[in-house]
């Protein structure tokens, strides 16, 4: 985390940088001081809309109002004015797509959320047109309903006359960052930046431009699109109405990329894993944008002064969620945190492996018919063994993704930086270090996503001078050193691989018994 600038920051009148962290279920605002300490924070949830099974939508006005309330709330709690804030950094739920009227600023449809599966049939069409390889080569992504492009198509189809209006330049598309920029600047800025653009399915990550072939396939006119800017740089000023005076908005990044930066992963080969409901593992690959052979995605970490840092990204569907299942489904623990003491109370799992393939398996298996499996049960198996096996499964899945990322990037992992709710579990972090054979580094302040957004903004306005100040905040972090022998590590991992084989190809399509 940043330390105070030694000879004073340029903008010494301002005491704080404010991060706006616009997430899937809540909007947060956090004020950081020069030392990188959290001075005040505020958070407001907003409603989720589920118009049909598998569909998830947000009301853009509810996103904005909750975000504005959080920002004002954080200022109030710190007793701060707009003039105390050197810059605002935005980080956001990625891929969620919005379209609004350029003149009135009124959205023409609800935001379609990244999780929503409502564009699965558009994805099938793209696949049927043989576009898989083109999409991967141009965007680094796979054809999936997660990404924004098919959501834009959906909105233009769903609203009468929208396609024609888009072609006439009357409408604007944006991910949530662009929407917040639009609102904060009262419509003066229609822009996004590299990391968010790289999640849209229509951005060429090698040429760094919107991709005409894919725009054509999705019939998305260029006139709809935001300008793509540097991740760190002044995007515009907030309208004085919001905070009483103008504040520069000087950094914007998607949440996982902001976390990568907030963790100080600024050099190729450095990686972070966020242990939440699922896991998101990203490795900075520097100037290289390696294509994945294991089904991971290649993405833009950030672009600063036109220089792009790429990243490989792998996700794990079920991580902390497995603890929620132990708690809510089985009643084996009262709180997720109780798992730590239970796991420590036994020497090992007694040979038990639990594969939490509740919704199938991702990289490197890509098996949607895999299902949750417990193997190795004996008469001696206890609750504690099961709990320990559940925690260990998070570390095993992480190693699976690390192996893919190392193979795809050709870069060996020298340490894993961690954050997210389940990274508080010291047992899990030690087991992770043991299983990877590299140190696991956990910062003292786990607000790395917001810190990353603040850092992009603070660096742009001279509040912090360079990333070394940010990395200087390594004091106070926890380091988990690996202490298992290589033999033991590999034999444990081989057992996991055998357990995974047992979980695979289990579910049968309906009617096949
Ligand atoms: P998200 O952002 O995905 O909602 P969080 O980063 O808030 O997730 O982390 C919450 C997840 O972490 C939950 O799934 C919970 O089960 C898990 N979790 C929280 N604390 C612990 C702990 N001490 N040990 C293991 N898992 C934990």
């Amino acid at each position: 985390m940043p330390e105070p600038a030694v000879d004073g920051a340029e903008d010494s009148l301002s005491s704080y940088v404010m991060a706006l962290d616009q997430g899937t279920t809540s909007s947060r605002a956090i004020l950081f001081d020069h030392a990188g300490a959290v001075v005040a924070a505020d958070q407001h949830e907003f409603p989720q809309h589920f118009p049909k099974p598998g569909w998830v939508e947000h009301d853009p006005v509810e996103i904005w109002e909750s975000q504005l309330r959080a920002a004002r709330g954080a200022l109030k709690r710190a007793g701060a004015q707009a003039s105390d804030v050197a810059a605002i950094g935005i980080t956001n739920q990625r891929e969620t797509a919005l379209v609004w009227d350029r003149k009135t600023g009124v959205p023409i449809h609800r935001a379609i959320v990244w999780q929503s599966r409502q564009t699965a049939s558009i994805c099938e069409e793209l696949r049927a047109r043989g576009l898989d390889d083109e999409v991967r080569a141009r965007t680094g992504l796979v054809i999936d309903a997660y990404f924004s492009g098919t959501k834009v198509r959906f909105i233009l189809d769903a609203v009468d006359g929208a396609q024609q209006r888009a072609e006439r330049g009357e409408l604007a598309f944006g991910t949530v960052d662009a929407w917040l920029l639009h609102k904060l600047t009262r419509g003066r800025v229609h822009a996004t930046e590299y990391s968010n653009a790289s999640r849209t399915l229509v951005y060429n990550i090698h040429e760094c431009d919107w991709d005409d072939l894919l725009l054509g396939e999705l019939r998305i006119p260029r006139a709809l699109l935001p300008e793509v800017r540097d991740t760190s740089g002044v995007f515009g000023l907030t309208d004085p109405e919001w905070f009483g005076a103008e504040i520069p908005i000087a950094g914007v990044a998607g949440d996982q990329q902001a976390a990568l930066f907030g963790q100080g992963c600024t050099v190729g080969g450095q990686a972070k894993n966020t242990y939440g409901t699922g896991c998101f593992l990203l490795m900075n690959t520097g100037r290289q944008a390696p294509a994945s052979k294991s089904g991971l995605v290649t993405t833009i970490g950030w672009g600063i002064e036109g220089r792009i840092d790429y990243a490989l990204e792998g996700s794990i569907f079920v991580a902390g969620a497995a603890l929620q299942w132990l708690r809510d489904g089985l009643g084996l623990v009262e709180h997720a945190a109780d798992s730590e003491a239970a796991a420590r109370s036994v020497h090992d799992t007694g040979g038990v492996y639990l594969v939490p393939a509740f919704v199938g398996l991702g990289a490197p298996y890509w098996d949607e018919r895999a299902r949750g499996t417990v193997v190795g049960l004996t008469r001696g198996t206890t609750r504690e063994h099961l709990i320990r096996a559940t925690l260990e499964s998070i570390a095993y899945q992480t190693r699976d993704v690390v192996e893919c990322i190392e193979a795809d990037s050709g870069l060996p992992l020298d340490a894993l930086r961690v954050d997210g709710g389940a990274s508080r579990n010291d047992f899990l972090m030690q087991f992770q270090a043991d299983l990877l054979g590299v140190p696991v580094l956990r910062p003292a302040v786990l607000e790395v996503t917001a810190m990353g957004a603040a850092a992009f903004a603070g660096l742009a306005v001279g509040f912090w001078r360079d990333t070394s100040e940010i990395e200087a905040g390594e004091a106070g972090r926890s380091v988990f050193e690996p202490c298992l022998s290589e033999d033991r590590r590999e034999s444990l991992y081989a057992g996991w691989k055998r357990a995974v084989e047992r979980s695979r190809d289990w579910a049968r399509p309906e009617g096949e018994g």
Side-chain angles (χ1 to χ4, degrees), residues 482-496:
C483 53
L484 265 196
S485 72
E486 192 172 344
D487 278 358
R488 179 86 182 116
R489 182 195 321 146
E490 294 314 313
S491 83
L492 282 170
Y493 188 54
W496 165 256

Side-chain angles (χ1 to χ4, degrees), residues 193-196 198-199 203 205-206 208 230-232 253 256-258 260-261 264-271 282-290 297-313 411 456 467 471:
E193 52 68 60
Y194 294 108
S195 74
N196 276 292
S198 75
R199 313 299 296 187
Y203 190 73
I205 60 169
H206 309 287
C208 290
D230 273 351
T231 303
S232 180
Q256 296 306 322
Q257 286 94 334
L260 188 67
F261 197 71
C265 297
T266 54
V267 173
Q270 293 181 325
L282 275 79
M283 178 192 266
N284 184 322
T285 58
R287 300 284 107 77
Q288 313 297 325
V297 303
T298 310
T299 200
I300 294 183
W302 46 81
I304 299 178
E305 291 173 355
R307 258 190 25 210
I308 305 294
D309 271 46
Y310 291 95
L312 275 166
E313 173 173 328
L411 298 167
F456 284 129
T467 51
E471 285 161 37

